Amino acid sequence: MRWKHAHLDNASVSYTGCMAMNFEARLRDRDPWPIGDECSAGRVLDLLNTKTAFLVIRECFYGTTRFDDFVARIGASAPAVSRALTQLKAAQIVEPVPYRKPGSRARDEYRLTKAGEDLLPVLLSLMQWGDTYLQEGRPPLSFVEADTGRPIRVGVTADPAPTTLSDGIEIRLNPACRSPLAAAVGSIREPHDTERRPSEDHGEHGFE
């Protein structure tokens, strides 16, 4: 039986009975469990506790490095992006890399650390879930192996699996996409030859 989920307007959710993990015997009584910050999932949510912080990470995987470009591509305010970068830098998820334009003082670009790169499966699993349940079968983007064109999928398994790094992934426009993105990029004849337009940076994080 399939039901329309009250909180997923575009999703048709199938309920197939109780699906839950199993506890070893000594953990089955959860009443004595302490309530605190020991849960790793809770700690991650404390860290990535704003939409802006998570979208900064997305943009890092997309190749964005400079403050003004984060602001433009996320659509958040400059102070919100600044707070997110400060938070992610303190957590050692991104690191500043100095650069200098001719005639200007040194600024910082932001790049993912090893800990940041390890968030790739988290990002892709969220996007995969959203593609399935929130996009009516027409997600705007698809992620494939750059060398083979095979779709990238995130799953849960106990078997060893090869790891695909972010630079081995190609992002493609989904042919079924009917969003403004499709209309925008459809007018670009040679998208691989386009260059990022230079942006003006302001202050340490891009604003005073």
Side-chain angles (χ1 to χ4, degrees), residues 3 7 14-16 26 94 100 105 112 116 119 132 182 186 200:
W3 300 87
H7 300 291
S14 178
Y15 296 93
T16 58
R26 59 183 172 176
V94 301
R100 183 191 297 271
R105 66 180 178 87
L112 292 170
L119 286 169
T132 301
E200 295 297 327

Side-chain angles (χ1 to χ4, degrees), residues 1-4 12-17:
M1 181 178 295
R2 301 179 72 84
W3 300 87
K4 196 74 170 180
S12 182
V13 180
S14 178
Y15 296 93
T16 58

Side-chain angles (χ1 to χ4, degrees), residues 32-174:
W33 283 31
I35 298 175
D37 62 355
E38 293 185 5
C39 174
S40 294
R43 292 187 179 188
V44 172
L45 292 173
D46 284 340
L47 178 62
L48 304 179
N49 59 2
T50 67
K51 178 180 178 180
T52 301
F54 201 88
L55 292 181
V56 165
I57 294 171
R58 181 200 68 184
E59 284 303 312
C60 286
F61 279 115
Y62 285 3
T64 302
T65 61
R66 297 187 179 180
F67 183 87
D68 282 3
D69 290 334
F70 284 116
V71 173
R73 294 171 184 172
I74 293 172
S77 68
V81 172
S82 179
R83 288 192 296 270
L85 285 168
T86 297
Q87 184 177 5
L88 295 172
K89 185 170 65 172
Q92 299 182 339
I93 290 176
V94 301
E95 60 183 353
V97 179
Y99 75 96
R100 183 191 297 271
K101 292 181 180 180
S104 301
R105 66 180 178 87
R107 313 277 187 186
D108 283 336
E109 294 183 329
Y110 295 89
R111 302 183 187 276
L112 292 170
T113 64
K114 174 63 167 58
E117 286 279 352
D118 283 346
L119 286 169
L120 177 62
V122 179
L123 172 70
L124 291 179
S125 62
L126 282 176
M127 297 190 78
Q128 182 176 300
W129 189 91
D131 289 351
T132 301
Y133 294 107
L134 302 176
Q135 296 283 7
E136 296 184 327
R138 295 190 298 272
L141 302 174
S142 60
F143 299 81
V144 302
E145 282 187 329
D147 293 338
T148 67
R150 294 187 303 174
I152 297 291
R153 301 289 296 175
V154 180
V156 179
T157 178
D159 297 326
T163 299
T164 301
L165 301 179
S166 57
D167 59 2
I169 296 174
E170 182 175 281
I171 304 173
R172 297 180 179 177
L173 181 68
N174 184 349

